[in-house]
Amino acid sequence: MSVTPLPTPPGSVAQQALPRVVAFFEGLKAQDLGHLDRIYAVDAGFKDPFNEVEGLLEIEAVFAHMFRALDTPHFVVRDRLAQGNQAFLTWDFRFRFKGDTVWQVVRGATHLRFDAHGLIADHRDYWDAAEELYEKLPVLGGLMRWLKRRAMRG
């Protein structure tokens, strides 16, 4: 997969790339996974609370699992900042568990580092898996909420 870099207009690499990246993630569908080379460098790194992978195929596998495991997953970017070759996003990840009709929301943030061609070289997601996900699961949620209450009492 070779990518022909586009000419970079004035402004930072991140400022130029960010609108394209945000649009891609907000519109991401399972059938788009074969086009990750439009936003990720071939040797890009990706890390979130559950995964740490390197390379387009491995990143594609993370997103493919998301589409297999959840119903209607999608991102809504709330805030964005860009400077130099880096950007920071806050977002809501909305989805339903398979077979469930209730929408879930995970709130998180992403730090992106871009290469000279405006492709993501490093993608790091930050979100609290315990609060944002585990507490919403039927059995595990009760245990996580109990643990949280106990920890807050000292």
Side-chain angles (χ1 to χ4, degrees):
M1 291 183 232
S2 73
V3 175
T4 304
L6 299 173
T8 305
S12 75
V13 171
Q15 287 170 327
Q16 296 303 315
L18 201 52
R20 175 176 46 85
V21 168
V22 168
F24 186 87
F25 280 114
E26 286 191 327
L28 186 62
K29 305 282 185 260
Q31 58 268 25
D32 300 326
L33 296 181
H35 303 294
L36 290 178
D37 61 335
R38 294 179 185 171
I39 62 163
Y40 284 99
V42 173
D43 58 350
F46 176 94
K47 182 172 174 55
D48 70 9
F50 297 120
N51 304 281
E52 185 168 7
V53 299
E54 189 172 314
L56 279 173
L57 291 177
E58 289 79 8
I59 294 169
E60 182 178 336
V62 170
F63 286 108
H65 178 265
M66 173 187 77
F67 283 107
R68 282 193 312 273
L70 303 172
D71 278 336
T72 324
H74 63 279
F75 295 91
V76 177
V77 174
R78 313 275 296 169
D79 300 291
R80 61 192 91 184
L81 297 169
Q83 182 176 7
N85 71 336
Q86 298 183 62
F88 187 79
L89 307 171
T90 61
W91 42 261
D92 290 346
F93 175 57
R94 299 169 188 258
F95 65 93
R96 292 185 299 222
F97 290 112
K98 291 283 186 183
D100 197 351
T101 59
V102 178
W103 282 97
Q104 304 293 330
V105 178
V106 171
R107 290 176 177 82
T110 298
H111 176 239
L112 300 171
R113 189 175 49 78
F114 294 92
D115 68 12
H117 305 295
L119 297 172
I120 299 169
D122 189 44
H123 177 150
R124 175 81 188 254
D125 283 345
Y126 297 93
W127 51 278
D128 184 344
E131 180 180 348
E132 297 290 347
L133 185 60
Y134 297 150
E135 285 185 13
K136 297 174 182 178
L137 298 173
V139 176
L140 189 56
L143 174 62
M144 294 304 294
R145 289 187 296 275
W146 178 80
L147 288 171
K148 187 176 181 180
R149 285 192 303 272
R150 297 272 306 185
M152 293 179 81
R153 281 193 240 150

